[in-house]
Structures are given as structure tokens and as C-alpha cells.
Amino acid sequence: MAAEAEVLDELHRLRARIPQLTGALAASVDGLVLAHDTPGVEAEGVAALTAAALGVAVRMTDATGSGDLRELLLRGEHGYVATYAAGSSAVLTLLAQDRVNVGRLHLEGRRAGTRIGELVDAAPRPADRSAITKSTPTDLTPAKATVRSTPPRRTPRPSTLRATPRTTSNARTRTES
């Protein structure tokens, strides 16, 4: 996929702009790695944990009335993990040393998230590929992305990032016990 190479190039450029970054990862909101530059870190594990953290963060923003989730920042003893929405179906996760300028991290992370989102959203989906192989070059104009008003079944998309409501049976179970 051509978008993967472009996303990886964006990750490399981002790491060059912020020397304190120790890793950069683009993943789907479902936790699948799209591209990564994470030496010494298991990219698949970080992508899966990012998806899990997004689920909790979305519920937190919903419960507090903070609106749609835009980014998530975690600070550990040895550094930061920052996750940014990247289009309608992806996220950008950055790993940084504890001495990183957090303002710069946010500035560059948001910009890169926007760029990666554009690349991922413009890439043909697997279902679209059969249509592309059958179409003529004049039919290949990119379609305008639409934002769904309801979240997907599993993990909400970063652009909407709304928490899924608990079921009634689940609420009854808690009150009975």
C-alpha cells in the first residue's frame, strides 16, 4: 500500500523534528499497526494498548462532558506517551523522553496526526480495491470523506470518539449485586 510508505516517511520526519522522540506509531483505532518507527518497542503491543486506552479515554471525556476526544497524554517516570487522532480511522502514538518539550510534542503531534489522517483516509479500503481495478483513470477522483454520527461497533473513531452507552442489562446486574 502506497499510503503505508508515506505514513512511515511522516513518522521518520516527525522523529527528525523532535529529537527526544523514542518512537512513533500509526495504528488503526482497532489496534492494528499501519506503520511504525519504534526501535526496541513491540509495535503490535503498543498499538493494542493504544486501542484499549482510547476506549477508556473516550468514556472519560463522555462522562465529564469534555466533548470528543482529541488526544491522550500519559506521563511516566521515564517519559511520555501521547496519542493523537489521525483522521477517521487511525491514531498516532508518540513515545518521548521525559525531557521533551510537551508543547512542541503537542504541536508536532497534532500536525503529524492531521497529515497521517489525510493519507490513511485517502487510501483505498480493501473493499474499494476491486472497484479501483475495474475503473478507468477518470473514475479515480478521491471521494470526500464523511463522518458517521454513530461510532463503530468496537472502538470509536478518533474523529467522533463518543463512548458507547452501557446496556440496560449490565446496569441491572450492578444494582442487584
mmCIF file of all heavy atoms in Angstrom, residues 69-108:
data_model
loop_
_atom_site.group_PDB
_atom_site.id
_atom_site.type_symbol
_atom_site.label_atom_id
_atom_site.label_comp_id
_atom_site.label_asym_id
_atom_site.label_seq_id
_atom_site.Cartn_x
_atom_site.Cartn_y
_atom_site.Cartn_z
ATOM 1 N N LEU A 69 -12.930 13.219 22.067
ATOM 2 C CA LEU A 69 -11.522 13.051 22.416
ATOM 3 C C LEU A 69 -10.630 13.488 21.260
ATOM 4 O O LEU A 69 -10.856 13.105 20.116
ATOM 5 C CB LEU A 69 -11.233 11.584 22.752
ATOM 6 C CG LEU A 69 -9.794 11.251 23.148
ATOM 7 C CD1 LEU A 69 -9.444 11.920 24.468
ATOM 8 C CD2 LEU A 69 -9.597 9.765 23.242
ATOM 9 N N ARG A 70 -9.642 14.295 21.549
ATOM 10 C CA ARG A 70 -8.692 14.761 20.537
ATOM 11 C C ARG A 70 -7.316 14.134 20.736
ATOM 12 O O ARG A 70 -6.631 13.808 19.788
ATOM 13 C CB ARG A 70 -8.523 16.284 20.603
ATOM 14 C CG ARG A 70 -9.785 17.061 20.463
ATOM 15 C CD ARG A 70 -10.215 17.098 19.050
ATOM 16 N NE ARG A 70 -11.429 17.895 18.976
ATOM 17 C CZ ARG A 70 -11.959 18.266 17.867
ATOM 18 N NH1 ARG A 70 -11.406 17.958 16.744
ATOM 19 N NH2 ARG A 70 -13.075 18.954 17.875
ATOM 20 N N GLU A 71 -6.905 14.015 22.001
ATOM 21 C CA GLU A 71 -5.580 13.477 22.291
ATOM 22 C C GLU A 71 -5.543 12.914 23.697
ATOM 23 O O GLU A 71 -6.407 13.212 24.524
ATOM 24 C CB GLU A 71 -4.511 14.553 22.126
ATOM 25 C CG GLU A 71 -4.749 15.782 22.989
ATOM 26 C CD GLU A 71 -4.019 17.006 22.490
ATOM 27 O OE1 GLU A 71 -3.965 17.223 21.266
ATOM 28 O OE2 GLU A 71 -3.516 17.740 23.331
ATOM 29 N N LEU A 72 -4.536 12.112 23.932
ATOM 30 C CA LEU A 72 -4.359 11.452 25.214
ATOM 31 C C LEU A 72 -2.883 11.559 25.567
ATOM 32 O O LEU A 72 -2.026 11.248 24.744
ATOM 33 C CB LEU A 72 -4.780 9.988 25.089
ATOM 34 C CG LEU A 72 -4.576 9.058 26.265
ATOM 35 C CD1 LEU A 72 -5.428 9.508 27.448
ATOM 36 C CD2 LEU A 72 -4.943 7.636 25.869
ATOM 37 N N LEU A 73 -2.572 12.020 26.778
ATOM 38 C CA LEU A 73 -1.186 12.169 27.202
ATOM 39 C C LEU A 73 -0.981 11.420 28.507
ATOM 40 O O LEU A 73 -1.720 11.635 29.470
ATOM 41 C CB LEU A 73 -0.823 13.653 27.393
ATOM 42 C CG LEU A 73 0.610 13.926 27.841
ATOM 43 C CD1 LEU A 73 1.609 13.555 26.748
ATOM 44 C CD2 LEU A 73 0.772 15.391 28.222
ATOM 45 N N LEU A 74 0.017 10.540 28.510
ATOM 46 C CA LEU A 74 0.394 9.804 29.704
ATOM 47 C C LEU A 74 1.826 10.165 30.050
ATOM 48 O O LEU A 74 2.679 10.257 29.164
ATOM 49 C CB LEU A 74 0.303 8.294 29.460
ATOM 50 C CG LEU A 74 -1.041 7.757 29.014
ATOM 51 C CD1 LEU A 74 -0.918 6.309 28.590
ATOM 52 C CD2 LEU A 74 -2.046 7.900 30.130
ATOM 53 N N ARG A 75 2.079 10.372 31.334
ATOM 54 C CA ARG A 75 3.443 10.685 31.760
ATOM 55 C C ARG A 75 3.897 9.627 32.741
ATOM 56 O O ARG A 75 3.253 9.362 33.753
ATOM 57 C CB ARG A 75 3.495 12.047 32.430
ATOM 58 C CG ARG A 75 4.912 12.425 32.832
ATOM 59 C CD ARG A 75 4.988 13.795 33.417
ATOM 60 N NE ARG A 75 6.371 14.098 33.744
ATOM 61 C CZ ARG A 75 6.726 14.974 34.646
ATOM 62 N NH1 ARG A 75 5.810 15.654 35.315
ATOM 63 N NH2 ARG A 75 7.997 15.185 34.889
ATOM 64 N N GLY A 76 5.011 9.011 32.419
ATOM 65 C CA GLY A 76 5.619 8.022 33.293
ATOM 66 C C GLY A 76 6.904 8.574 33.875
ATOM 67 O O GLY A 76 7.332 9.688 33.553
ATOM 68 N N GLU A 77 7.512 7.815 34.711
ATOM 69 C CA GLU A 77 8.755 8.239 35.355
ATOM 70 C C GLU A 77 9.867 8.530 34.345
ATOM 71 O O GLU A 77 10.693 9.410 34.556
ATOM 72 C CB GLU A 77 9.211 7.135 36.315
ATOM 73 C CG GLU A 77 10.431 7.482 37.123
ATOM 74 C CD GLU A 77 10.801 6.376 38.094
ATOM 75 O OE1 GLU A 77 9.964 5.486 38.342
ATOM 76 O OE2 GLU A 77 11.925 6.413 38.600
ATOM 77 N N HIS A 78 9.850 7.808 33.225
ATOM 78 C CA HIS A 78 10.929 7.948 32.240
ATOM 79 C C HIS A 78 10.501 8.590 30.933
ATOM 80 O O HIS A 78 11.274 8.613 29.973
ATOM 81 C CB HIS A 78 11.554 6.581 31.963
ATOM 82 C CG HIS A 78 12.101 5.929 33.182
ATOM 83 N ND1 HIS A 78 13.222 6.389 33.837
ATOM 84 C CD2 HIS A 78 11.649 4.880 33.901
ATOM 85 C CE1 HIS A 78 13.449 5.639 34.887
ATOM 86 N NE2 HIS A 78 12.509 4.705 34.954
ATOM 87 N N GLY A 79 9.274 9.092 30.859
ATOM 88 C CA GLY A 79 8.880 9.738 29.620
ATOM 89 C C GLY A 79 7.383 9.809 29.421
ATOM 90 O O GLY A 79 6.597 9.584 30.342
ATOM 91 N N TYR A 80 7.015 10.142 28.189
ATOM 92 C CA TYR A 80 5.622 10.397 27.829
ATOM 93 C C TYR A 80 5.154 9.433 26.746
ATOM 94 O O TYR A 80 5.944 8.988 25.914
ATOM 95 C CB TYR A 80 5.469 11.816 27.264
ATOM 96 C CG TYR A 80 5.698 12.902 28.277
ATOM 97 C CD1 TYR A 80 6.968 13.413 28.493
ATOM 98 C CD2 TYR A 80 4.641 13.431 29.007
ATOM 99 C CE1 TYR A 80 7.187 14.428 29.415
ATOM 100 C CE2 TYR A 80 4.842 14.437 29.931
ATOM 101 C CZ TYR A 80 6.121 14.927 30.130
ATOM 102 O OH TYR A 80 6.322 15.920 31.048
ATOM 103 N N VAL A 81 3.854 9.180 26.749
ATOM 104 C CA VAL A 81 3.168 8.506 25.654
ATOM 105 C C VAL A 81 2.023 9.435 25.271
ATOM 106 O O VAL A 81 1.179 9.757 26.102
ATOM 107 C CB VAL A 81 2.613 7.124 26.074
ATOM 108 C CG1 VAL A 81 1.874 6.481 24.909
ATOM 109 C CG2 VAL A 81 3.719 6.218 26.589
ATOM 110 N N ALA A 82 2.026 9.886 24.043
ATOM 111 C CA ALA A 82 0.992 10.812 23.568
ATOM 112 C C ALA A 82 0.295 10.185 22.365
ATOM 113 O O ALA A 82 0.951 9.671 21.464
ATOM 114 C CB ALA A 82 1.613 12.146 23.178
ATOM 115 N N THR A 83 -1.023 10.226 22.379
ATOM 116 C CA THR A 83 -1.812 9.670 21.281
ATOM 117 C C THR A 83 -2.708 10.766 20.724
ATOM 118 O O THR A 83 -3.367 11.481 21.475
ATOM 119 C CB THR A 83 -2.658 8.479 21.773
ATOM 120 O OG1 THR A 83 -1.773 7.482 22.281
ATOM 121 C CG2 THR A 83 -3.488 7.888 20.653
ATOM 122 N N TYR A 84 -2.723 10.880 19.398
ATOM 123 C CA TYR A 84 -3.485 11.919 18.710
ATOM 124 C C TYR A 84 -4.401 11.276 17.676
ATOM 125 O O TYR A 84 -4.022 10.307 17.024
ATOM 126 C CB TYR A 84 -2.536 12.895 17.997
ATOM 127 C CG TYR A 84 -1.555 13.527 18.937
ATOM 128 C CD1 TYR A 84 -0.312 12.963 19.164
ATOM 129 C CD2 TYR A 84 -1.895 14.684 19.631
ATOM 130 C CE1 TYR A 84 0.580 13.532 20.061
ATOM 131 C CE2 TYR A 84 -1.005 15.258 20.521
ATOM 132 C CZ TYR A 84 0.228 14.670 20.735
ATOM 133 O OH TYR A 84 1.098 15.230 21.632
ATOM 134 N N ALA A 85 -5.587 11.840 17.511
ATOM 135 C CA ALA A 85 -6.489 11.402 16.455
ATOM 136 C C ALA A 85 -5.817 11.652 15.110
ATOM 137 O O ALA A 85 -5.168 12.675 14.906
ATOM 138 C CB ALA A 85 -7.812 12.163 16.542
ATOM 139 N N ALA A 86 -5.970 10.688 14.201
ATOM 140 C CA ALA A 86 -5.386 10.809 12.866
ATOM 141 C C ALA A 86 -6.444 10.411 11.841
ATOM 142 O O ALA A 86 -6.493 9.269 11.403
ATOM 143 C CB ALA A 86 -4.130 9.940 12.744
ATOM 144 N N GLY A 87 -7.288 11.341 11.504
ATOM 145 C CA GLY A 87 -8.334 11.063 10.537
ATOM 146 C C GLY A 87 -9.484 10.307 11.155
ATOM 147 O O GLY A 87 -9.683 10.307 12.372
ATOM 148 N N SER A 88 -10.243 9.622 10.308
ATOM 149 C CA SER A 88 -11.460 8.969 10.763
ATOM 150 C C SER A 88 -11.244 7.555 11.277
ATOM 151 O O SER A 88 -12.136 7.004 11.906
ATOM 152 C CB SER A 88 -12.478 8.945 9.625
ATOM 153 O OG SER A 88 -11.974 8.163 8.560
ATOM 154 N N SER A 89 -10.062 6.974 11.042
ATOM 155 C CA SER A 89 -9.904 5.576 11.424
ATOM 156 C C SER A 89 -8.530 5.235 11.988
ATOM 157 O O SER A 89 -8.214 4.065 12.142
ATOM 158 C CB SER A 89 -10.181 4.682 10.213
ATOM 159 O OG SER A 89 -9.233 4.955 9.194
ATOM 160 N N ALA A 90 -7.718 6.230 12.294
ATOM 161 C CA ALA A 90 -6.365 5.947 12.759
ATOM 162 C C ALA A 90 -5.968 6.858 13.917
ATOM 163 O O ALA A 90 -6.630 7.862 14.189
ATOM 164 C CB ALA A 90 -5.366 6.124 11.602
ATOM 165 N N VAL A 91 -4.904 6.463 14.579
ATOM 166 C CA VAL A 91 -4.323 7.262 15.659
ATOM 167 C C VAL A 91 -2.811 7.280 15.490
ATOM 168 O O VAL A 91 -2.223 6.394 14.889
ATOM 169 C CB VAL A 91 -4.678 6.710 17.061
ATOM 170 C CG1 VAL A 91 -6.155 6.865 17.344
ATOM 171 C CG2 VAL A 91 -4.247 5.274 17.224
ATOM 172 N N LEU A 92 -2.214 8.316 16.041
ATOM 173 C CA LEU A 92 -0.765 8.465 16.062
ATOM 174 C C LEU A 92 -0.336 8.402 17.520
ATOM 175 O O LEU A 92 -0.850 9.157 18.347
ATOM 176 C CB LEU A 92 -0.362 9.820 15.458
ATOM 177 C CG LEU A 92 1.094 10.252 15.644
ATOM 178 C CD1 LEU A 92 2.044 9.318 14.897
ATOM 179 C CD2 LEU A 92 1.274 11.697 15.190
ATOM 180 N N THR A 93 0.577 7.491 17.838
ATOM 181 C CA THR A 93 1.091 7.387 19.199
ATOM 182 C C THR A 93 2.574 7.707 19.175
ATOM 183 O O THR A 93 3.331 7.140 18.381
ATOM 184 C CB THR A 93 0.851 5.976 19.776
ATOM 185 O OG1 THR A 93 -0.555 5.762 19.844
ATOM 186 C CG2 THR A 93 1.436 5.835 21.164
ATOM 187 N N LEU A 94 2.975 8.632 20.045
ATOM 188 C CA LEU A 94 4.367 9.061 20.139
ATOM 189 C C LEU A 94 4.935 8.687 21.504
ATOM 190 O O LEU A 94 4.264 8.870 22.521
ATOM 191 C CB LEU A 94 4.465 10.572 19.936
ATOM 192 C CG LEU A 94 3.881 11.113 18.634
ATOM 193 C CD1 LEU A 94 3.995 12.635 18.597
ATOM 194 C CD2 LEU A 94 4.564 10.485 17.442
ATOM 195 N N LEU A 95 6.144 8.207 21.512
ATOM 196 C CA LEU A 95 6.865 7.882 22.735
ATOM 197 C C LEU A 95 7.994 8.890 22.855
ATOM 198 O O LEU A 95 8.747 9.101 21.900
ATOM 199 C CB LEU A 95 7.427 6.462 22.659
ATOM 200 C CG LEU A 95 6.450 5.375 22.200
ATOM 201 C CD1 LEU A 95 7.172 4.044 22.038
ATOM 202 C CD2 LEU A 95 5.293 5.263 23.155
ATOM 203 N N ALA A 96 8.115 9.544 24.018
ATOM 204 C CA ALA A 96 9.097 10.620 24.164
ATOM 205 C C ALA A 96 9.810 10.530 25.497
ATOM 206 O O ALA A 96 9.266 10.041 26.490
ATOM 207 C CB ALA A 96 8.413 11.979 24.034
ATOM 208 N N GLN A 97 11.031 11.021 25.504
ATOM 209 C CA GLN A 97 11.815 11.101 26.733
ATOM 210 C C GLN A 97 11.172 12.089 27.687
ATOM 211 O O GLN A 97 10.405 12.970 27.281
ATOM 212 C CB GLN A 97 13.239 11.562 26.417
ATOM 213 C CG GLN A 97 13.998 10.638 25.499
ATOM 214 C CD GLN A 97 15.313 11.259 25.038
ATOM 215 O OE1 GLN A 97 15.618 12.415 25.321
ATOM 216 N NE2 GLN A 97 16.088 10.484 24.305
ATOM 217 N N ASP A 98 11.520 11.984 28.957
ATOM 218 C CA ASP A 98 10.924 12.871 29.959
ATOM 219 C C ASP A 98 11.360 14.317 29.806
ATOM 220 O O ASP A 98 10.716 15.219 30.318
ATOM 221 C CB ASP A 98 11.207 12.366 31.375
ATOM 222 C CG ASP A 98 12.676 12.314 31.712
ATOM 223 O OD1 ASP A 98 13.522 12.345 30.800
ATOM 224 O OD2 ASP A 98 13.000 12.233 32.911
ATOM 225 N N ARG A 99 12.417 14.571 29.066
ATOM 226 C CA ARG A 99 12.900 15.942 28.888
ATOM 227 C C ARG A 99 12.339 16.629 27.639
ATOM 228 O O ARG A 99 12.734 17.742 27.296
ATOM 229 C CB ARG A 99 14.421 15.978 28.868
ATOM 230 C CG ARG A 99 15.041 15.181 27.759
ATOM 231 C CD ARG A 99 16.568 15.072 27.935
ATOM 232 N NE ARG A 99 17.152 14.286 26.876
ATOM 233 C CZ ARG A 99 17.599 14.781 25.739
ATOM 234 N NH1 ARG A 99 17.537 16.070 25.504
ATOM 235 N NH2 ARG A 99 18.113 14.006 24.827
ATOM 236 N N VAL A 100 11.361 16.003 26.975
ATOM 237 C CA VAL A 100 10.766 16.589 25.779
ATOM 238 C C VAL A 100 9.987 17.853 26.152
ATOM 239 O O VAL A 100 9.425 17.962 27.242
ATOM 240 C CB VAL A 100 9.848 15.568 25.068
ATOM 241 C CG1 VAL A 100 8.573 15.324 25.850
ATOM 242 C CG2 VAL A 100 9.526 16.008 23.653
ATOM 243 N N ASN A 101 9.975 18.800 25.252
ATOM 244 C CA ASN A 101 9.136 19.983 25.400
ATOM 245 C C ASN A 101 7.715 19.549 25.033
ATOM 246 O O ASN A 101 7.418 19.278 23.872
ATOM 247 C CB ASN A 101 9.637 21.089 24.455
ATOM 248 C CG ASN A 101 8.797 22.339 24.504
ATOM 249 O OD1 ASN A 101 7.584 22.286 24.645
ATOM 250 N ND2 ASN A 101 9.462 23.468 24.354
ATOM 251 N N VAL A 102 6.837 19.475 26.027
ATOM 252 C CA VAL A 102 5.491 18.942 25.815
ATOM 253 C C VAL A 102 4.689 19.816 24.851
ATOM 254 O O VAL A 102 3.913 19.306 24.039
ATOM 255 C CB VAL A 102 4.752 18.750 27.155
ATOM 256 C CG1 VAL A 102 3.329 18.247 26.936
ATOM 257 C CG2 VAL A 102 5.513 17.774 28.036
ATOM 258 N N GLY A 103 4.879 21.113 24.896
ATOM 259 C CA GLY A 103 4.200 21.994 23.945
ATOM 260 C C GLY A 103 4.594 21.675 22.516
ATOM 261 O O GLY A 103 3.745 21.612 21.623
ATOM 262 N N ARG A 104 5.872 21.472 22.295
ATOM 263 C CA ARG A 104 6.365 21.110 20.954
ATOM 264 C C ARG A 104 5.850 19.736 20.552
ATOM 265 O O ARG A 104 5.480 19.502 19.397
ATOM 266 C CB ARG A 104 7.894 21.146 20.952
ATOM 267 C CG ARG A 104 8.538 20.699 19.671
ATOM 268 C CD ARG A 104 8.751 21.867 18.739
ATOM 269 N NE ARG A 104 9.202 21.480 17.430
ATOM 270 C CZ ARG A 104 10.458 21.296 17.081
ATOM 271 N NH1 ARG A 104 11.424 21.467 17.944
ATOM 272 N NH2 ARG A 104 10.766 20.958 15.856
ATOM 273 N N LEU A 105 5.815 18.818 21.506
ATOM 274 C CA LEU A 105 5.292 17.475 21.249
ATOM 275 C C LEU A 105 3.847 17.570 20.758
ATOM 276 O O LEU A 105 3.479 16.948 19.756
ATOM 277 C CB LEU A 105 5.361 16.628 22.521
ATOM 278 C CG LEU A 105 4.822 15.209 22.434
ATOM 279 C CD1 LEU A 105 5.732 14.342 21.570
ATOM 280 C CD2 LEU A 105 4.690 14.612 23.828
ATOM 281 N N HIS A 106 3.035 18.370 21.443
ATOM 282 C CA HIS A 106 1.641 18.540 21.024
ATOM 283 C C HIS A 106 1.539 19.203 19.656
ATOM 284 O O HIS A 106 0.765 18.762 18.798
ATOM 285 C CB HIS A 106 0.856 19.360 22.046
ATOM 286 C CG HIS A 106 0.473 18.612 23.278
ATOM 287 N ND1 HIS A 106 0.040 17.312 23.271
ATOM 288 C CD2 HIS A 106 0.449 18.995 24.564
ATOM 289 C CE1 HIS A 106 -0.232 16.923 24.498
ATOM 290 N NE2 HIS A 106 0.012 17.925 25.307
ATOM 291 N N LEU A 107 2.294 20.252 19.436
ATOM 292 C CA LEU A 107 2.254 20.962 18.160
ATOM 293 C C LEU A 107 2.591 20.029 17.000
ATOM 294 O O LEU A 107 1.836 19.913 16.026
ATOM 295 C CB LEU A 107 3.214 22.150 18.185
ATOM 296 C CG LEU A 107 3.327 22.948 16.891
ATOM 297 C CD1 LEU A 107 2.043 23.723 16.641
ATOM 298 C CD2 LEU A 107 4.510 23.895 16.960
ATOM 299 N N GLU A 108 3.703 19.355 17.105
ATOM 300 C CA GLU A 108 4.143 18.463 16.023
ATOM 301 C C GLU A 108 3.255 17.220 15.927
ATOM 302 O O GLU A 108 2.978 16.741 14.834
ATOM 303 C CB GLU A 108 5.611 18.061 16.231
ATOM 304 C CG GLU A 108 6.586 19.211 16.145
ATOM 305 C CD GLU A 108 6.735 19.801 14.747
ATOM 306 O OE1 GLU A 108 6.248 19.209 13.760
ATOM 307 O OE2 GLU A 108 7.351 20.875 14.637
#
